[in-house]
Amino acid sequence: MPYKDKTSTKTPWVGQVKINGKKIKHRCQTRKEAIEWEAAQRQKTAGERSETHTISLLEWATAYLEFCEKKFVVNTFEEKKRAFRILFAGGVDPQLPVETLQPFVLLKHFQKQAGERSGNAANKDRKNLSAAWNWGRNYLGIPFENPFQRTGKQGEVRHDRRIPTLAEFWKVFETTTELQDKRMLLCYLYSGARRAELFQLRWQDVDFINGRIRLYWKKNQLGTMKTAWLAMTDEAMDALREQHRSTGKSKWVFVEPGTDHPYKYRLQWMRRLCKRAGVDRFGFHGIRHLCASILAGKGVPLVDIQDHLRHDHLSTTERYIHKIKETRSVVNALTGLKGAFSGEGPQEAPEKVDTKLTTVSK
């Protein structure tokens, strides 16, 4: 604030501001002039600070991950955090300003990741980091051009999701020794639930009277938690009653052995069970697809399958069962070919005989 210096008659008012720890003063004839000078100096300093201050890669990453931790489920958040950790561990200095990040550096990074991990993993990191850059562009004012998008995707080896047959599922079920594991497998088969949905199932979400369970999930762009009651079969509810008798004192339905905590990942569990049963490996989502295929095979309407799987869009459910219907129609068309034609080998058109050139020897 300006103050008045009584020792001066021509310029009694003194404006003062502090810039970079140093106090600067300026004499004025009136108090109004001193106030205006102080305001002009503060505005000038703020402008210079905004021009010189740059956001580092670490500041950008930290701000984005704080946003993601509140918006996304744990697995998605961990995936995004891992992408940054690998980027900085790969030689990119997190203290550098964001505008210094060059596409060529990122291209070399993703090429290395494709060689050491896989093209799929490198492209997943690229997608997450590209989304982070777009977020920073909207909220932090970082450069508009996205350097991650300029790198292009790495080559991928795509594998169709392994969907087990019902016989393979029961074979895994029979070779499972732990009772809790058997009950969990039954619940996955009858509910078609996603992995985390049953991991986070609580006893307050189990309605034994009406034979249903309540599931929670986050699958929309806003990250909003959604919930729905799902009707269950008598077999599934009987399994849950048995589970309640053994873990009913816990808050969670399925808990890690020796603890009162729910499962989080169980990454190798299905791998071990499949290996023990002698079947090709499949995962939790494979059981979800199996549930959809069973419903489709029994002629359940598509909209009812959508409700059971809790898909937001019918097109998602159609993708789940499209290959099943497509394969069945091809098999039906090829059935009964044996004996359809006389002779052996490919069917050929009868050989034509030119009667004009045919001579009869006497």
Side-chain angles (χ1 to χ4, degrees), residues 19-37:
I19 300 177
N20 297 328
K22 183 178 180 181
K23 187 176 290 187
I24 301 176
K25 297 182 180 181
H26 180 73
R27 290 185 172 275
C28 302
Q29 292 181 345
T30 64
R31 183 174 184 273
K32 181 180 179 181
E33 290 179 1
I35 293 175
E36 291 176 348
W37 177 85

Side-chain angles (χ1 to χ4, degrees), residues 24-288:
I24 301 176
K25 297 182 180 181
H26 180 73
R27 290 185 172 275
C28 302
Q29 292 181 345
T30 64
R31 183 174 184 273
K32 181 180 179 181
E33 290 179 1
I35 293 175
E36 291 176 348
W37 177 85
E38 287 182 355
Q41 292 300 311
R42 293 191 184 97
Q43 185 176 4
K44 180 181 178 181
T45 303
E48 292 175 351
R49 186 180 295 114
S50 63
E51 290 178 1
T52 57
H53 177 70
T54 59
I55 299 175
S56 69
L57 293 172
L58 182 60
E59 289 174 323
W60 158 60
T62 302
Y64 178 66
L65 291 176
E66 288 176 352
F67 163 78
C68 292
E69 190 172 15
K70 298 177 181 178
K71 177 178 179 180
F72 298 106
V73 296
V74 174
N75 289 352
T76 303
F77 169 70
E78 291 294 335
E79 178 183 295
K80 292 177 179 294
K81 185 167 67 172
R82 184 168 55 251
F84 278 108
R85 185 169 63 247
I86 294 174
L87 176 69
F88 295 147
V92 176
D93 186 355
Q95 301 301 331
L96 290 176
V98 289
E99 59 266 21
T100 62
L101 196 58
Q102 297 298 317
F104 180 72
V105 174
L106 299 177
L107 176 62
K108 300 295 289 184
H109 169 73
F110 292 132
Q111 286 176 338
K112 181 180 179 181
Q113 293 305 310
E116 294 179 351
R117 298 159 67 204
S118 69
N120 306 50
N123 289 335
K124 184 175 291 187
D125 285 357
R126 174 182 175 272
K127 179 195 70 173
N128 285 317
L129 293 170
S130 179
W133 188 274
N134 291 336
W135 181 89
R137 186 176 62 189
N138 292 332
Y139 297 103
L140 300 179
I142 66 177
F144 183 83
E145 188 175 20
N146 192 326
F148 295 97
Q149 291 182 347
R150 291 182 59 187
T151 60
K153 291 184 177 181
Q154 300 297 310
E156 296 185 1
V157 178
R158 287 289 183 180
H159 299 284
D160 289 338
R161 187 182 299 276
R162 172 83 170 97
I163 304 176
T165 64
L166 190 56
E168 289 175 327
F169 173 85
W170 288 123
K171 190 173 182 181
V172 169
F173 177 84
E174 292 299 332
T175 56
T176 303
T177 57
E178 297 294 332
L179 292 177
Q180 177 175 247
D181 291 347
K182 285 181 175 289
R183 297 162 189 157
M184 181 181 284
L185 285 172
L186 282 177
C187 289
Y188 273 116
L189 177 64
Y190 288 120
S191 68
R194 304 175 182 93
R195 178 182 63 178
E197 291 171 349
L198 284 190
F199 282 0
Q200 298 298 314
L201 184 65
R202 302 165 298 177
W203 285 119
Q204 68 183 48
D205 300 318
V206 180
D207 182 359
F208 287 112
I209 297 176
N210 297 298
R212 59 180 186 168
I213 61 176
R214 180 169 53 192
L215 300 178
Y216 296 84
W217 71 96
K218 284 183 181 180
K219 289 295 286 185
N220 58 349
Q221 293 182 348
L222 297 177
T224 306
M225 182 68 74
K226 305 185 72 174
T227 180
W229 284 99
L230 187 68
M232 298 289 283
T233 64
D234 292 339
E235 294 88 344
M237 295 308 298
D238 288 341
L240 287 173
R241 288 187 181 91
E242 294 174 2
Q243 183 68 7
H244 188 266
R245 283 191 285 269
S246 61
T247 64
K249 295 182 180 180
S250 172
K251 173 184 177 182
W252 310 97
V253 175
F254 301 107
V255 296
E256 294 188 24
T259 73
D260 193 32
H261 306 296
Y263 289 101
K264 287 187 177 181
Y265 301 109
R266 302 203 81 178
L267 297 178
Q268 303 300 322
W269 180 57
M270 288 302 300
R271 183 193 298 271
R272 290 194 299 268
L273 293 182
C274 291
K275 183 178 180 180
R276 186 187 306 166
V279 303
D280 291 339
R281 183 170 64 91
F282 59 88
F284 295 100
H285 218 71
I287 302 176
R288 180 171 166 84

